[in-house]
Amino acid sequence: MEPLFGVVLGLILAVASPAHNSCTCATNKWAVCALDGPGNCTCRLAGSDHLLDCSTLTSKCFLMKAEMTPLKEKRLWRPPHGVSDSDGIYNPDCEDSGVFKARQCNQSSTCWCVNTAGVRRTEKGGRSLSCSELVRTRWIYIELTHKRSSNTFDVPDVAKALTQLFESRYKLHPKYIAAIKYDPPLIQIRLDQNKKPRWDVDIADVAYYFEKDVNNDSVFHSDSSLTVSVNGDPLAIEKLWIYYVDEKPPEFCMRQLAAGISAVVTVVVLTAGIGIAVLLILRWLRTRTYKKFECKEMKEIKASTLE
């Protein structure tokens, strides 16, 4: 009986082990997953009770919140990498749907308004700051450079490879890829998404996943490094810049612009003042020299007359 029991136990463990290992979220390595029934794997956002749809990308807002939540299974928790905007990463307030709330605040009661990409679009203020709407990020411009090599790529081949990458890895429909331009080693990508149907991924989420991949901090559970190939040749991405364009212009106040204009005006005034002073000094020296010459000439005339 004991050998038979051991065989049965081994079969049970063999069956249970793959089921347990398969309970992961393919599109979010920070998800906390558990089997709540036979073959039913449920994944939630780290640090919250939000259920995740692991068949698509997790919203950028949820990702940033998960990054700010230290996990017990991590050996050491470190501050996460900053995002591309100038304010860096922060612990955001998210709607239940995963979108950013229009107003974000930190622990020091400083608040600001953001767009759908979570990027600040107003000056920072106090708790009384009002953000009437969440302005949509309609366009995202991605600029990247690849390492120079002996391989030369054709423009159509680069565009095809990147389109396939965004479609297969990030689930982005090609209709949202407005343009891809290639001028070695610079590649420019424009994502255009005026309105987003519920079933499509958001270009802000795509840009964030792509940025994490390029920075070797993939969000995908497999944690596989990003590999891009053009006709079988590797396209090694070296640098990345992301720019966000909203439906409405940002609402930054004119203080910085006014300071810049004031500095320019000051420089112009000082330059003009110095120039005028130099001209006056030169004119005074010229007049003085002329008067000396005139006086000397008069003295010589008087001396010749006396003789």
Side-chain angles (χ1 to χ4, degrees):
M1 287 294 293
E2 290 184 0
L4 180 60
F5 177 76
V7 172
V8 173
L9 180 61
L11 290 174
I12 294 174
L13 292 175
V15 173
S17 179
H20 176 73
N21 292 335
S22 63
C23 188
T24 56
C25 187
T27 56
N28 191 336
K29 67 180 180 181
W30 296 308
V32 179
C33 302
L35 287 170
D36 57 2
N40 187 19
C41 179
T42 301
C43 297
R44 299 180 184 275
L45 182 69
S48 73
D49 293 328
H50 289 290
L51 290 174
L52 295 179
D53 180 4
C54 295
S55 65
T56 187
L57 304 187
T58 305
S59 72
K60 181 181 177 181
C61 191
F62 280 167
L63 289 177
M64 290 174 61
K65 181 171 285 294
E67 286 184 272
M68 297 299 290
T69 304
L71 299 179
K72 294 180 180 179
E73 58 267 24
K74 287 186 178 180
R75 189 171 300 171
L76 286 176
W77 183 77
R78 57 177 173 78
H81 298 304
V83 295
S84 58
D85 62 290
S86 59
D87 294 304
I89 196 168
Y90 58 92
N91 190 359
D93 293 325
C94 310
E95 301 286 358
D96 292 337
S97 60
V99 301
F100 288 90
K101 290 187 177 181
R103 192 186 74 163
Q104 299 290 328
C105 301
N106 59 19
Q107 297 179 350
S108 62
S109 299
T110 300
C111 301
W112 60 93
C113 301
V114 299
N115 55 21
T116 52
V119 178
R120 182 166 64 91
R121 50 175 283 107
T122 65
E123 294 289 348
K124 294 182 178 180
R127 291 281 179 179
S128 60
L129 178 67
S130 176
C131 303
S132 59
E133 61 177 330
L134 181 67
V135 178
R136 176 158 188 79
T137 297
R138 177 180 177 181
W139 297 338
I140 292 182
Y141 290 90
I142 301 175
E143 292 185 357
L144 55 94
T145 58
H146 66 81
K147 295 180 180 178
R148 294 183 181 274
S149 63
S150 58
N151 297 327
T152 57
F153 305 111
D154 294 329
V155 176
D157 294 335
V158 172
K160 181 180 178 181
L162 290 174
T163 299
Q164 291 177 345
L165 172 72
F166 278 87
E167 184 178 7
S168 60
R169 187 173 178 87
Y170 307 113
K171 318 299 181 185
L172 182 67
H173 196 286
K175 66 182 180 181
Y176 297 125
I177 304 176
I180 297 178
K181 293 186 177 181
Y182 178 46
D183 183 15
L186 177 66
I187 302 175
Q188 295 174 301
I189 306 170
R190 174 179 163 180
L191 306 181
D192 189 344
Q193 191 178 50
N194 186 17
K195 294 182 180 179
K196 188 193 81 66
R198 182 179 56 84
W199 52 85
D200 283 338
V201 297
D202 195 295
I203 57 174
D205 302 336
V206 172
Y208 195 64
Y209 267 79
F210 183 60
E211 181 182 15
K212 303 294 283 186
D213 277 339
V214 172
N215 292 334
N216 294 320
D217 189 19
S218 177
V219 181
F220 293 100
H221 188 270
S222 62
D223 204 20
S224 59
S225 58
L226 178 66
T227 56
V228 184
S229 61
V230 180
N231 291 335
D233 295 323
L235 181 70
I237 299 175
E238 193 171 26
K239 295 181 180 179
L240 174 71
W241 301 270
I242 301 179
Y243 305 92
Y244 304 89
V245 180
D246 299 341
E247 290 179 340
K248 298 181 180 180
E251 301 173 5
F252 293 106
C253 69
M254 301 297 290
R255 284 182 298 180
Q256 295 180 348
L257 180 60
I261 294 176
S262 177
V264 172
V265 170
T266 301
V267 171
V268 172
V269 170
L270 288 176
T271 303
I274 293 173
I276 294 173
V278 170
L279 289 175
L280 291 175
I281 291 173
L282 291 176
R283 183 178 180 182
W284 177 75
L285 290 174
R286 186 181 303 170
T287 304
R288 183 181 178 186
T289 302
Y290 176 76
K291 287 183 176 180
K292 285 183 177 180
F293 175 78
E294 186 181 33
C295 182
K296 182 179 180 180
E297 189 179 30
M298 291 297 294
K299 287 181 179 180
E300 289 179 353
I301 293 175
K302 287 182 180 181
S304 61
T305 304
L306 292 175
E307 289 178 1

